């Protein structure tokens, strides 16, 4: 009896560590006044999710009724005047938002920005922060690493994220930004396939955009089969945020899943790989629906990896990142990358310092098996590619300037990443207010780094 009690006490003490296995399975959407009568079967239907996705603030107001305070409503209206991203949010994620505490909610922050939360962009922000346009030999192809390309056949997504790194292209024009988006049109992909066929070094193709969820089953099959037939292409990755924000599609859109399954089987028959990359940001996105969707993919033999973006107020706390990592591992999603936030417009409030990323990585490492521990990377502004957050050449923490190299990708160049100014000391913020000090601070950091190269770009 005494031994049993001791064991029980040990289990009880460890219970917080088992939190990642508790997946929400209640009918949470019924708390939203406009959806109080929606049944589980209706909520499970991918067509219902798409049809009822929120596209306008006034639509949100109507669905939420008294749950939306006038203050938050007005703030969201102001947010729409500033953000470079349109609104699109699935009922699944919309209903998971804690509307009693909307201002601080990590899900609301990602998709429905408040005007009051925006900060002035960093002086060195770039619309194309990663220099993708410079590494694009033909439309919709980004070719930076010798054996890997990014293929962007679509510019639309099932949700629009406020922190999107391709806000210059994705989701249509907004009140503040004119965009030339291109939808998902097969006729426009010919040059991309021609390029891939002519480049024998390419083995790895990431299909992104936009989001592969928005490709039709016929397009999934066409892209998958066309790529797999190219002899030198060995690995195809379909990138979609869908599993995180719209798991119902995996569960009920049999045509879409059937197309993925067909392409996956074809890959195996060729001795090649087709995998899925997804994009969970924080533990609150994970419910029983996510688990059911992942079980379905896992039983089909499809490997899923996760790429999260580090965002202040969303996933920058150790306990949230550990919980996310463990929950993903439990669902058979490999936590692959956590990205330092890119220096794109409208995202200053989301960005963390490099030091915060390094410390977070340190805290997460050791909490689970190494293969399930995400690599924290900074995708270098200007196109140096992804580098481990602790692999900088020099870091002037006082002024928030880090100096980097990417010896294989661009051997004769160096790269700079800048911390968000509002997180620096009052003295450093003062220096950043003086434009003449910018180059002085940068030159000092570069000199201390000892790097002998030219600035990228
Ligand atoms: S799903 Fe990806 S591409 Fe689409 S808006 Fe979000 S971050 Fe951008």
């Amino acid at each position: 009896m005494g031994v049993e009690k001791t064991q029980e006490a040990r289990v009880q003490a460890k219970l917080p560590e088992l939190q990642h296995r508790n997946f929400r399975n209640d009918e949470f959407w019924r708390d939203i006044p406009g959806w109080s009568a929606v049944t589980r079967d209706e909520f499970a239907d991918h067509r219902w999710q798409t049809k009822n996705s929120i596209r306008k603030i006034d639509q949100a107001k109507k669905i939420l009724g008294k749950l939306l305070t006038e203050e938050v409503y007005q703030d969201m209206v102001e947010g729409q005047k500033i953000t470079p991203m349109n609104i699109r949010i699935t009922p699944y994620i919309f209903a998971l938002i804690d509307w009693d505490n909307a201002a601080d909610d990590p899900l609301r922050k990602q998709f429905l920005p408040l005007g009051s939360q925006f900060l002035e962009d960093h002086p060195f922000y770039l619309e194309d922060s990663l220099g993708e346009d410079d590494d694009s030999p033909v439309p919709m192809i980004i070719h930076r690493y010798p054996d890997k390309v990014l293929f962007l056949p679509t510019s639309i997504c099932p949700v629009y994220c406020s922190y999107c790194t391709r806000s210059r292209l994705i989701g249509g024009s907004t009140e503040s930004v004119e965009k030339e988006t291109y939808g998902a049109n097969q006729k426009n992909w010919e040059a991309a396939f021609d390029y891939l066929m002519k480049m024998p070094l390419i083995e790895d193709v990431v299909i992104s955009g936009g989001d592969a969820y928005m490709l039709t089953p016929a397009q999934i099959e066409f892209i998958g089969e066309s790529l797999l037939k190219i002899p030198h292409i060995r690995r195809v990755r379909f990138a979609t945020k869908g599993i995180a924000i719209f798991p119902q599609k995996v569960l009920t859109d049999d045509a879409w899943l059937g197309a993925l399954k067909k392409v996956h089987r074809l890959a195996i028959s060729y001795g090649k790989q087709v995998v899925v990359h997804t994009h969970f940001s924080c533990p609150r996105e994970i419910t029983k629906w996510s688990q059911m969707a992942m079980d379905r993919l896992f039983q089909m033999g499809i490997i899923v990896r996760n790429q999260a973006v580090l965002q202040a107020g969303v996933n920058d706390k150790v306990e949230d990142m550990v919980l996310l990592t463990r929950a993903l591992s439990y669902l058979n999603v490999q936590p692959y990358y956590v990205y330092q936030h890119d220096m794109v417009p409208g995202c200053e409030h989301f960005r963390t310092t490099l030091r915060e990323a390094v410390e977070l990585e340190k805290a997460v490492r050791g909490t689970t098996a190494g293969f399930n521990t995400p690599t924290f990377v900074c995708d270098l502004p200007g196109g140096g590619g992804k580098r481990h957050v602790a692999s900088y050449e020099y870091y002037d923490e006082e002024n928030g300037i880090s100096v980097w190299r990417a010896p294989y990708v661009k051997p004769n160049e160096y790269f700079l990443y800048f911390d968000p100014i509002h997180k620096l000391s009052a003295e450093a913020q003062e220096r950043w207010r003086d434009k003449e000090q910018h180059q002085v601070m940068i030159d000092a950091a570069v000199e201390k780094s000892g790097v002998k190269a030219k600035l990228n770009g």
Side-chain angles (χ1 to χ4, degrees), residues 72 119 167 192 284 433:
V72 172
L119 297 169
S167 59
R284 284 264 308 284
R433 273 190 278 278

Side-chain angles (χ1 to χ4, degrees), residues 206-322:
V206 179
I207 297 144
S208 185
D211 191 306
Y213 244 38
M214 303 307 274
L215 298 168
T216 64
Q219 289 174 329
I220 294 275
E221 283 186 36
F222 175 75
I223 292 174
E225 287 173 9
S226 303
L227 293 178
L228 290 168
K229 279 181 189 155
I230 299 175
H232 49 268
I233 291 178
R234 304 281 302 160
R235 299 176 292 279
V236 175
R237 307 184 237 169
F238 284 95
T240 172
K241 192 169 172 62
I243 303 163
I245 49 78
F246 186 5
Q248 290 80 5
K249 187 171 171 87
V250 171
L251 293 167
T252 61
D253 189 347
D254 290 341
W256 189 88
L257 200 70
L260 185 65
K261 191 172 171 179
K262 195 169 164 191
V263 170
H264 180 248
R265 282 201 181 145
L266 184 68
I268 290 173
S269 75
Y270 286 169
K272 299 185 178 185
Q273 273 186 19
V274 163
V275 305
V276 169
H277 277 202
T278 194
H279 182 174
F280 286 90
S281 293
C282 70
R284 284 264 308 284
E285 292 156 20
I286 301 175
T287 66
K288 195 74 183 171
W289 297 91
S290 329
Q291 188 182 30
M292 290 189 297
M294 271 313 303
D295 281 353
R296 199 162 186 214
L297 288 168
F298 188 72
Q299 279 153 14
M300 281 166 50
I302 295 184
I303 289 170
V304 179
R305 305 186 187 114
N306 193 64
Q307 309 195 144
V309 177
L310 182 55
Q311 299 162 72
V314 173
N315 56 13
D316 60 336
K317 299 277 177 295
V318 172
E319 56 273 24
D320 289 337
M321 191 54 84
V322 170

Side-chain angles (χ1 to χ4, degrees), residues 21-30 40 43 92 96 248 251 286-292:
R21 298 182 195 170
N22 292 334
F23 300 117
R24 192 170 180 181
N25 195 24
D26 58 320
E27 297 191 344
F28 53 88
W29 60 91
R30 287 181 184 257
R40 191 171 276 270
F43 197 73
Y92 172 73
L96 283 172
Q248 290 80 5
L251 293 167
I286 301 175
T287 66
K288 195 74 183 171
W289 297 91
S290 329
Q291 188 182 30
M292 290 189 297

